Amino acid sequence: MLRLRTGFSLIELLVAVAVFALASALAWAGLSAVTDTRQRLAQEQEAFAAVQRSVDFLARDLATAVDRPVRTGQAGYQPALAGDVRGVAFTRMGVASELLSSDSALQRVRWFVQNKALVRGRYAVLDRADDRAFVRRDMDKGIEDFRLRYLDHRGGWHDRWPPAAGRDADPAALPRAVEFRIGFKSVGEIRRLVALPPATPVALQAPGAGP
């Protein structure tokens, strides 16, 4: 008389456990890959957003430059825009208010790279005797290169501004445009050409700096 089998044999149980373990391992590997990809994409998006903020901030500063030299502590002046291939300092329009004088609506800023960090600095006062009022802000810390050049109104490029030195230099003169190149470790090099605004009214210029 035949006897009906009930349950599973040991071999069948081992095969089932092995198949389940393999399926679980494949599912976990797939989930881990998806999670890693999402984290990597989030990091890349964050890095790109930081790059975009830095580039837009510098471009916005340059686009609001004004031809206002600043007084120094030795009864002299610094040009409205003074720069070379590695950094630039200039006067820009700040937050205007009817309650403030024209000078109070201006701001002196400086851009440069130090220890692979793109730095934006601003001065608490427009005309100053020293750099003690310098407020520093690191915009991006993955900078591999930073270069500037300056376009004059005749179409010539210069590695320094003002291009003339000594008595021939006009402290209020602004270049027609400024080109900057920033080499970011995260996204590579970004180049931007920024047109500067035309001359401002003489009332905004420092005494003795106008024509």
Side-chain angles (χ1 to χ4, degrees):
M1 183 175 179
L2 296 175
R3 183 177 297 177
L4 297 177
R5 294 177 56 192
T6 59
F8 299 96
S9 68
L10 179 60
I11 294 178
E12 290 173 333
L13 288 175
L14 291 176
V15 171
V17 170
V19 171
F20 178 76
L22 179 60
S24 299
L26 293 175
W28 177 260
L31 180 61
S32 178
V34 170
T35 302
D36 292 343
T37 300
R38 291 184 61 181
Q39 291 179 347
R40 185 172 66 254
L41 288 175
Q43 292 173 353
E44 291 177 354
Q45 289 176 348
E46 183 179 354
F48 183 79
V51 167
Q52 192 65 43
R53 285 194 298 269
S54 299
V55 172
D56 289 346
F57 211 142
L58 175 53
R60 184 167 62 249
D61 272 357
L62 288 169
T64 56
V66 294
D67 50 348
R68 164 52 158 94
V70 294
R71 301 179 182 89
T72 64
Q74 302 298 326
Y77 292 94
Q78 290 184 0
L81 186 147
D84 55 23
V85 295
R86 294 300 184 183
V88 62
F90 54 94
T91 308
R92 67 178 294 271
M93 270 292 188
V95 179
S97 171
E98 295 180 355
L99 300 178
L100 300 176
S101 66
S102 58
D103 280 358
S104 298
L106 302 179
Q107 188 179 71
R108 189 73 173 183
V109 296
R110 180 183 169 204
W111 286 83
F112 60 99
V113 169
Q114 187 177 58
N115 297 327
K116 294 187 178 297
L118 180 62
V119 180
R120 180 189 188 265
R122 63 178 179 83
Y123 295 89
V125 292
L126 187 63
D127 298 304
R128 63 197 183 280
D130 53 41
D131 288 343
R132 285 179 295 180
F134 185 76
V135 180
R136 171 185 174 131
R137 176 182 177 183
D138 290 352
M139 302 298 297
D140 196 295
K141 296 183 179 181
I143 304 301
E144 296 181 337
D145 192 23
F146 180 55
R147 294 180 181 273
L148 303 108
R149 62 175 184 162
Y150 311 89
L151 180 67
D152 64 27
H153 290 270
R154 296 181 179 180
W157 286 100
H158 304 272
D159 290 334
R160 179 180 299 274
W161 195 271
R167 295 181 179 180
D168 294 332
D170 180 2
L174 293 177
R176 182 179 179 184
V178 176
E179 180 189 74
F180 62 85
R181 302 181 185 181
I182 309 177
F184 294 91
K185 183 178 181 180
S186 56
V187 300
E189 182 181 271
I190 292 181
R191 179 188 302 183
R192 185 75 66 88
L193 179 64
V194 182
L196 270 63
T200 55
V202 177
L204 291 179
Q205 297 179 355

